[in-house]
Coordinates of all heavy atoms in Angstrom, one line a residue:
M1 N -41.4 18.4 -10.0 CA -40.0 18.3 -10.3 C -39.8 18.6 -11.8 O -40.5 18.1 -12.7 CB -39.5 16.9 -10.0 CG -38.1 16.7 -10.3 SD -37.6 15.0 -9.7 CE -36.1 14.9 -10.5
N2 N -38.8 19.4 -12.0 CA -38.5 19.8 -13.4 C -37.4 18.8 -13.9 O -36.3 18.8 -13.4 CB -38.0 21.2 -13.4 CG -37.8 21.8 -14.8 OD1 -38.0 21.0 -15.8 ND2 -37.5 23.0 -14.9
T3 N -37.7 18.1 -15.0 CA -36.7 17.1 -15.5 C -35.7 17.7 -16.4 O -34.7 17.0 -16.7 CB -37.5 16.0 -16.3 OG1 -38.2 16.7 -17.3 CG2 -38.4 15.3 -15.4
S4 N -35.8 19.0 -16.8 CA -34.8 19.6 -17.6 C -33.5 20.0 -16.9 O -32.4 20.1 -17.4 CB -35.3 20.8 -18.4 OG -35.7 21.8 -17.4
E5 N -33.6 20.1 -15.5 CA -32.5 20.5 -14.7 C -31.8 19.2 -14.2 O -32.4 18.3 -13.8 CB -32.9 21.3 -13.5 CG -33.4 22.7 -13.9 CD -33.8 23.5 -12.7 OE1 -33.6 22.9 -11.6 OE2 -34.3 24.6 -12.9
P6 N -30.5 19.2 -14.3 CA -29.8 18.0 -13.8 C -29.9 17.9 -12.3 O -30.0 18.9 -11.6 CB -28.3 18.2 -14.2 CG -28.2 19.6 -14.4 CD -29.5 20.2 -14.8
S7 N -30.0 16.7 -11.8 CA -30.1 16.5 -10.4 C -28.8 16.6 -9.7 O -27.7 16.5 -10.3 CB -30.7 15.1 -10.1 OG -29.8 14.1 -10.5
D8 N -28.8 16.7 -8.4 CA -27.5 16.8 -7.6 C -26.8 15.5 -7.7 O -25.5 15.5 -7.7 CB -27.8 17.1 -6.2 CG -28.2 18.6 -6.0 OD1 -28.0 19.4 -6.9 OD2 -28.9 18.9 -5.0
R9 N -27.5 14.4 -7.8 CA -26.8 13.1 -7.9 C -25.9 13.0 -9.2 O -24.8 12.5 -9.1 CB -27.9 12.0 -8.0 CG -27.2 10.6 -8.0 CD -28.2 9.5 -8.1 NE -29.2 9.5 -7.1 CZ -30.2 8.7 -7.0 NH1 -30.5 7.9 -8.0 NH2 -31.1 8.8 -6.0
G10 N -26.4 13.5 -10.3 CA -25.7 13.5 -11.5 C -24.4 14.3 -11.5 O -23.3 13.9 -11.9
R11 N -24.6 15.5 -10.9 CA -23.4 16.4 -10.8 C -22.4 15.8 -9.8 O -21.2 15.9 -10.0 CB -23.8 17.8 -10.3 CG -24.4 18.6 -11.5 CD -24.7 20.0 -11.0 NE -26.0 19.9 -10.3 CZ -26.5 20.9 -9.6 NH1 -25.8 22.0 -9.5 NH2 -27.6 20.8 -9.0
G12 N -22.8 15.2 -8.7 CA -21.9 14.6 -7.7 C -21.1 13.5 -8.3 O -20.0 13.3 -8.1
A13 N -21.8 12.7 -9.2 CA -21.1 11.6 -9.8 C -20.0 12.0 -10.7 O -18.9 11.5 -10.8 CB -22.1 10.7 -10.5
E14 N -20.4 13.1 -11.5 CA -19.3 13.6 -12.5 C -18.2 14.2 -11.7 O -17.0 14.0 -12.1 CB -20.0 14.7 -13.4 CG -21.0 14.1 -14.3 CD -21.7 15.2 -15.1 OE1 -21.3 16.4 -14.9 OE2 -22.6 14.9 -15.8
K15 N -18.5 14.9 -10.7 CA -17.4 15.6 -9.9 C -16.5 14.5 -9.2 O -15.3 14.6 -9.2 CB -18.0 16.5 -8.8 CG -17.0 17.2 -8.0 CD -17.7 18.2 -7.0 CE -16.7 18.9 -6.2 NZ -17.4 19.7 -5.2
S16 N -17.1 13.5 -8.6 CA -16.4 12.5 -7.9 C -15.5 11.6 -8.7 O -14.4 11.2 -8.3 CB -17.3 11.7 -7.0 OG -18.1 10.8 -7.8
T17 N -15.8 11.4 -10.0 CA -15.0 10.5 -10.8 C -13.6 11.1 -11.1 O -12.6 10.5 -10.9 CB -15.7 10.1 -12.1 OG1 -16.1 11.3 -12.8 CG2 -16.9 9.3 -11.8
G18 N -13.6 12.3 -11.5 CA -12.3 13.0 -11.9 C -11.6 13.4 -10.7 O -10.4 13.2 -10.5
T19 N -12.3 14.1 -9.8 CA -11.6 14.7 -8.6 C -11.1 13.7 -7.6 O -10.0 13.7 -7.1 CB -12.6 15.7 -7.9 OG1 -13.1 16.6 -8.9 CG2 -11.9 16.5 -6.8
E20 N -12.0 12.7 -7.4 CA -11.6 11.6 -6.4 C -10.4 10.9 -6.9 O -9.5 10.5 -6.2 CB -12.8 10.7 -6.2 CG -13.8 11.2 -5.3 CD -13.3 11.3 -3.9 OE1 -12.6 10.5 -3.4 OE2 -13.7 12.4 -3.3
K21 N -10.3 10.6 -8.2 CA -9.2 9.8 -8.7 C -7.9 10.7 -8.6 O -6.9 10.1 -8.2 CB -9.5 9.5 -10.2 CG -8.5 8.5 -10.7 CD -9.0 7.9 -12.0 CE -8.2 6.7 -12.3 NZ -8.9 5.8 -13.1
L22 N -8.0 12.0 -8.9 CA -6.8 12.8 -8.7 C -6.4 12.9 -7.2 O -5.2 12.8 -6.9 CB -7.0 14.2 -9.2 CG -7.0 14.3 -10.7 CD1 -7.4 15.7 -11.1 CD2 -5.7 13.9 -11.3
N23 N -7.4 13.0 -6.3 CA -7.1 13.1 -4.9 C -6.5 11.8 -4.4 O -5.5 11.8 -3.6 CB -8.3 13.4 -4.1 CG -8.7 14.9 -4.3 OD1 -7.9 15.7 -4.7 ND2 -10.0 15.1 -4.0
W24 N -7.0 10.7 -4.9 CA -6.4 9.4 -4.5 C -5.0 9.2 -5.0 O -4.1 8.8 -4.2 CB -7.3 8.2 -5.1 CG -6.8 6.9 -4.7 CD1 -7.0 6.2 -3.6 CD2 -5.9 6.1 -5.6 NE1 -6.3 5.0 -3.6 CE2 -5.7 4.9 -4.8 CE3 -5.4 6.2 -6.8 CZ2 -4.9 3.9 -5.3 CZ3 -4.6 5.2 -7.3 CH2 -4.4 4.0 -6.6
I25 N -4.7 9.6 -6.2 CA -3.4 9.6 -6.8 C -2.4 10.5 -6.0 O -1.3 10.1 -5.6 CB -3.4 9.9 -8.3 CG1 -4.1 8.8 -9.0 CG2 -1.9 10.1 -8.8 CD1 -4.3 9.2 -10.5
D26 N -2.9 11.7 -5.7 CA -2.1 12.6 -4.9 C -1.8 12.1 -3.5 O -0.6 12.1 -3.0 CB -2.7 14.0 -4.8 CG -2.8 14.7 -6.1 OD1 -1.9 14.4 -7.0 OD2 -3.6 15.6 -6.3
R27 N -2.8 11.5 -2.8 CA -2.6 10.9 -1.5 C -1.6 9.8 -1.6 O -0.8 9.6 -0.7 CB -3.9 10.5 -0.9 CG -4.8 11.6 -0.5 CD -5.9 11.2 0.4 NE -6.7 10.1 -0.2 CZ -7.8 10.1 -0.9 NH1 -8.3 11.3 -1.1 NH2 -8.4 9.1 -1.4
R28 N -1.8 8.9 -2.6 CA -0.9 7.8 -2.7 C 0.6 8.2 -2.9 O 1.5 7.7 -2.3 CB -1.4 6.9 -3.9 CG -0.6 5.7 -4.2 CD -0.8 4.7 -3.1 NE 0.0 3.5 -3.4 CZ 0.6 2.8 -2.5 NH1 0.4 3.1 -1.2 NH2 1.3 1.7 -2.8
R29 N 0.7 9.2 -3.8 CA 2.1 9.7 -4.1 C 2.7 10.3 -2.8 O 3.9 10.1 -2.5 CB 2.1 10.8 -5.2 CG 1.9 10.2 -6.5 CD 1.9 11.2 -7.6 NE 1.7 10.6 -8.9 CZ 1.3 11.3 -10.0 NH1 1.0 12.6 -9.9 NH2 1.1 10.6 -11.1
E30 N 1.9 11.0 -2.0 CA 2.4 11.6 -0.8 C 2.8 10.5 0.2 O 3.8 10.7 0.9 CB 1.4 12.5 -0.2 CG 1.8 13.3 1.0 CD 3.1 14.1 0.8 OE1 3.2 14.7 -0.3 OE2 3.9 14.2 1.7
K31 N 2.0 9.5 0.3 CA 2.4 8.4 1.2 C 3.7 7.7 0.8 O 4.6 7.4 1.6 CB 1.3 7.3 1.2 CG 0.1 7.6 2.0 CD -0.8 6.4 1.9 CE -2.1 6.6 2.7 NZ -3.0 5.4 2.7
I32 N 3.9 7.6 -0.5 CA 5.1 7.0 -1.0 C 6.3 7.9 -0.7 O 7.4 7.4 -0.3 CB 5.0 6.7 -2.5 CG1 4.0 5.5 -2.8 CG2 6.4 6.3 -3.1 CD1 3.6 5.3 -4.2
R33 N 6.1 9.2 -1.0 CA 7.2 10.1 -0.7 C 7.6 10.1 0.8 O 8.8 10.1 1.1 CB 6.8 11.6 -1.1 CG 6.9 11.9 -2.5 CD 6.8 13.4 -2.8 NE 6.5 13.5 -4.2 CZ 5.3 13.8 -4.6 NH1 4.2 14.0 -3.8 NH2 5.1 14.0 -5.9
A34 N 6.6 10.1 1.7 CA 6.9 10.0 3.1 C 7.6 8.8 3.5 O 8.5 8.8 4.3 CB 5.5 10.1 3.9
E35 N 7.2 7.6 2.9 CA 7.9 6.4 3.2 C 9.3 6.4 2.7 O 10.2 5.9 3.4 CB 7.1 5.2 2.6 CG 7.7 3.9 3.0 CD 6.9 2.7 2.4 OE1 5.9 2.9 1.8 OE2 7.4 1.6 2.6
V36 N 9.6 6.9 1.6 CA 10.9 7.0 1.0 C 11.8 7.9 1.9 O 12.9 7.5 2.3 CB 10.9 7.5 -0.4 CG1 12.3 7.9 -0.9 CG2 10.3 6.4 -1.3
E37 N 11.2 9.0 2.4 CA 12.0 9.9 3.3 C 12.3 9.2 4.6 O 13.4 9.3 5.1 CB 11.2 11.2 3.5 CG 11.1 12.1 2.3 CD 10.2 13.3 2.5 OE1 9.7 13.5 3.7 OE2 10.0 14.0 1.6
R38 N 11.3 8.5 5.2 CA 11.6 7.7 6.4 C 12.7 6.7 6.2 O 13.6 6.5 7.0 CB 10.3 7.0 6.9 CG 9.3 7.9 7.6 CD 8.3 7.1 8.3 NE 7.6 6.1 7.5 CZ 6.5 6.4 6.7 NH1 6.0 7.6 6.7 NH2 6.0 5.4 6.0
N39 N 12.6 6.0 5.1 CA 13.6 5.0 4.8 C 15.0 5.6 4.6 O 16.0 5.0 5.1 CB 13.3 4.2 3.6 CG 12.1 3.3 3.8 OD1 11.6 3.1 4.9 ND2 11.5 2.8 2.7
R40 N 15.1 6.7 4.0 CA 16.4 7.4 3.9 C 17.0 7.9 5.2 O 18.2 7.9 5.4 CB 16.3 8.6 2.9 CG 16.1 8.2 1.5 CD 16.0 9.3 0.6 NE 15.9 8.9 -0.8 CZ 15.5 9.6 -1.8 NH1 15.3 10.9 -1.6 NH2 15.4 9.1 -3.0
R41 N 16.1 8.2 6.2 CA 16.6 8.6 7.5 C 16.9 7.4 8.3 O 17.4 7.5 9.4 CB 15.5 9.4 8.2 CG 15.3 10.8 7.7 CD 14.4 11.6 8.6 NE 13.1 11.0 8.8 CZ 12.0 11.3 8.2 NH1 11.9 12.2 7.3 NH2 10.9 10.6 8.6
G42 N 16.6 6.2 7.9 CA 17.0 5.0 8.6 C 15.9 4.5 9.5 O 16.1 3.7 10.4
E43 N 14.6 5.0 9.3 CA 13.5 4.6 10.2 C 12.7 3.4 9.6 O 11.6 3.2 10.0 CB 12.6 5.8 10.3 CG 13.2 7.0 11.0 CD 12.3 8.2 11.1 OE1 11.1 8.0 10.8 OE2 12.8 9.3 11.3
Y44 N 13.3 2.6 8.7 CA 12.5 1.6 8.1 C 12.5 0.3 9.0 O 13.5 0.1 9.8 CB 13.1 1.2 6.7 CG 14.6 0.8 6.7 CD1 14.9 -0.6 6.9 CD2 15.6 1.7 6.6 CE1 16.2 -1.0 6.9 CE2 16.9 1.3 6.7 CZ 17.2 0.0 6.8 OH 18.5 -0.4 6.8
T45 N 11.5 -0.5 8.9 CA 11.4 -1.7 9.6 C 11.0 -2.8 8.7 O 10.4 -2.6 7.7 CB 10.3 -1.6 10.7 OG1 9.1 -1.3 10.1 CG2 10.7 -0.5 11.8
V46 N 11.4 -4.0 9.0 CA 11.1 -5.2 8.2 C 9.7 -5.7 8.8 O 9.6 -5.9 10.0 CB 12.2 -6.3 8.4 CG1 11.8 -7.5 7.6 CG2 13.5 -5.7 7.9
P47 N 8.8 -6.0 7.9 CA 7.5 -6.5 8.3 C 7.7 -7.8 9.1 O 8.5 -8.7 8.8 CB 6.7 -6.7 7.1 CG 7.4 -5.8 6.1 CD 8.8 -5.7 6.4
T48 N 6.8 -8.1 10.0 CA 6.9 -9.3 10.8 C 6.7 -10.6 10.0 O 7.4 -11.6 10.2 CB 5.8 -9.3 11.9 OG1 5.9 -8.1 12.7 CG2 5.9 -10.5 12.8
W49 N 5.9 -10.5 9.0 CA 5.7 -11.7 8.1 C 6.9 -12.1 7.4 O 7.2 -13.3 7.1 CB 4.5 -11.5 7.2 CG 4.7 -10.5 6.1 CD1 4.3 -9.2 6.2 CD2 5.2 -10.8 4.8 NE1 4.7 -8.6 5.0 CE2 5.2 -9.5 4.1 CE3 5.7 -11.9 4.2 CZ2 5.7 -9.4 2.8 CZ3 6.2 -11.8 2.9 CH2 6.2 -10.5 2.2
V50 N 7.7 -11.1 7.0 CA 9.0 -11.4 6.3 C 10.0 -12.1 7.3 O 10.6 -13.0 6.9 CB 9.6 -10.1 5.8 CG1 11.0 -10.3 5.2 CG2 8.7 -9.5 4.7
L51 N 10.0 -11.6 8.5 CA 10.9 -12.2 9.5 C 10.5 -13.6 9.8 O 11.3 -14.5 9.9 CB 10.9 -11.4 10.8 CG 11.5 -10.0 10.7 CD1 11.3 -9.2 12.0 CD2 13.0 -10.0 10.3
A52 N 9.1 -13.8 9.9 CA 8.6 -15.2 10.2 C 8.9 -16.1 9.0 O 9.3 -17.3 9.2 CB 7.1 -15.1 10.4
A53 N 8.8 -15.6 7.8 CA 9.0 -16.5 6.6 C 10.5 -16.8 6.6 O 10.9 -18.0 6.2 CB 8.6 -15.7 5.4
A54 N 11.4 -15.9 6.9 CA 12.8 -16.2 6.9 C 13.2 -17.2 8.0 O 14.0 -18.1 7.7 CB 13.6 -14.9 7.1
L55 N 12.6 -17.1 9.1 CA 12.8 -18.1 10.2 C 12.3 -19.5 9.8 O 13.1 -20.5 10.0 CB 12.1 -17.6 11.5 CG 12.3 -18.6 12.7 CD1 13.7 -18.7 13.1 CD2 11.4 -18.1 13.8
I56 N 11.2 -19.6 9.2 CA 10.7 -20.9 8.8 C 11.6 -21.4 7.7 O 11.8 -22.7 7.7 CB 9.2 -20.7 8.3 CG1 8.3 -20.4 9.4 CG2 8.7 -21.9 7.5 CD1 6.9 -20.0 9.1
L57 N 12.0 -20.6 6.8 CA 12.9 -21.1 5.7 C 14.2 -21.6 6.3 O 14.7 -22.7 5.9 CB 13.2 -20.0 4.7 CG 14.0 -20.3 3.5 CD1 13.3 -21.3 2.6 CD2 14.4 -19.0 2.7
I58 N 14.8 -20.9 7.2 CA 16.1 -21.3 7.8 C 15.9 -22.6 8.6 O 16.7 -23.6 8.5 CB 16.6 -20.2 8.7 CG1 17.1 -19.0 7.9 CG2 17.8 -20.7 9.6 CD1 17.4 -17.8 8.7
V59 N 14.8 -22.7 9.4 CA 14.6 -23.9 10.2 C 14.3 -25.1 9.3 O 14.8 -26.2 9.5 CB 13.5 -23.7 11.3 CG1 13.1 -25.0 11.9 CG2 13.9 -22.7 12.3
G60 N 13.5 -24.9 8.2 CA 13.2 -25.9 7.3 C 14.4 -26.4 6.6 O 14.6 -27.6 6.4
A61 N 15.3 -25.5 6.2 CA 16.5 -25.9 5.5 C 17.4 -26.7 6.4 O 18.0 -27.7 6.1 CB 17.2 -24.7 4.9
W62 N 17.5 -26.3 7.7 CA 18.3 -27.0 8.7 C 17.8 -28.4 8.9 O 18.5 -29.4 8.9 CB 18.3 -26.2 9.9 CG 19.1 -26.7 11.0 CD1 20.5 -26.7 11.1 CD2 18.7 -27.3 12.2 NE1 20.9 -27.3 12.3 CE2 19.8 -27.7 13.0 CE3 17.4 -27.5 12.8 CZ2 19.7 -28.3 14.2 CZ3 17.3 -28.2 14.0 CH2 18.5 -28.5 14.7
L63 N 16.4 -28.5 9.1 CA 15.8 -29.8 9.3 C 16.0 -30.7 8.1 O 16.3 -31.9 8.2 CB 14.4 -29.7 9.6 CG 14.0 -29.2 11.0 CD1 12.6 -28.9 11.2 CD2 14.6 -30.1 12.1
A64 N 15.9 -30.2 6.9 CA 16.1 -31.0 5.6 C 17.5 -31.4 5.5 O 17.8 -32.6 5.2 CB 15.7 -30.1 4.4
L65 N 18.4 -30.6 5.9 CA 19.8 -31.0 5.9 C 20.1 -32.1 6.9 O 20.8 -33.1 6.6 CB 20.7 -29.8 6.3 CG 22.2 -30.0 6.3 CD1 22.7 -30.2 4.8 CD2 22.9 -28.8 6.9
I66 N 19.5 -32.1 8.1 CA 19.7 -33.1 9.1 C 19.1 -34.5 8.6 O 19.7 -35.5 8.7 CB 19.1 -32.7 10.4 CG1 19.9 -31.6 11.0 CG2 19.0 -33.9 11.4 CD1 19.3 -31.0 12.3
F67 N 17.8 -34.4 8.1 CA 17.1 -35.7 7.8 C 17.5 -36.2 6.4 O 17.5 -37.4 6.2 CB 15.6 -35.5 7.8 CG 15.1 -35.3 9.2 CD1 14.6 -34.1 9.7 CD2 15.2 -36.4 10.1 CE1 14.1 -34.0 11.0 CE2 14.7 -36.2 11.5 CZ 14.2 -35.0 11.9
L68 N 17.9 -35.4 5.5 CA 18.2 -35.9 4.1 C 19.7 -36.4 4.1 O 20.0 -37.4 3.4 CB 17.9 -34.9 3.1 CG 16.4 -34.5 2.9 CD1 16.3 -33.4 1.9 CD2 15.7 -35.7 2.4
V69 N 20.6 -35.7 4.7 CA 22.0 -36.0 4.6 C 22.3 -37.0 5.7 O 23.1 -38.0 5.5 CB 22.9 -34.7 4.8 CG1 24.3 -35.1 4.9 CG2 22.6 -33.8 3.6
G70 N 21.8 -36.9 6.9 CA 22.1 -37.8 8.0 C 21.4 -39.0 8.0 O 21.4 -40.1 7.9

């Protein structure tokens, strides 16, 4: 093995740090653009956990009103 030549591992690591980061950023930006376009068309949905939290908050406030005031 000749030690003066760089190994493939070294070149792969250099290539993946810069290129992978740019690709990740580009993919992330494309996902955000697609989501914004869907929302503008009216295709947005509220996550289930938000609906569940709102329901718990409403029921909890209602029960607090009954037991604390009554």
Side-chain angles (χ1 to χ4, degrees):
M1 180 173 164
N2 189 355
T3 57
S4 63
E5 295 179 2
S7 65
D8 289 340
R9 184 187 299 174
R11 282 185 280 170
E14 290 173 8
K15 182 179 177 183
S16 67
T17 55
T19 307
E20 282 294 319
K21 192 164 198 156
L22 285 177
N23 288 339
W24 178 83
I25 291 171
D26 290 339
R27 287 192 310 264
R28 181 72 180 142
R29 285 181 182 159
E30 185 56 37
K31 281 183 179 180
I32 292 170
R33 279 190 199 106
E35 184 176 355
V36 168
E37 288 174 7
R38 281 194 307 272
N39 291 345
R40 286 182 179 166
R41 288 191 306 260
E43 299 175 13
Y44 59 91
T45 57
V46 178
T48 305
W49 68 268
V50 173
L51 296 175
L55 178 63
I56 291 170
L57 183 67
I58 292 169
V59 171
W62 183 71
L63 288 173
L65 182 68
I66 290 173
F67 289 114
L68 294 176
V69 173

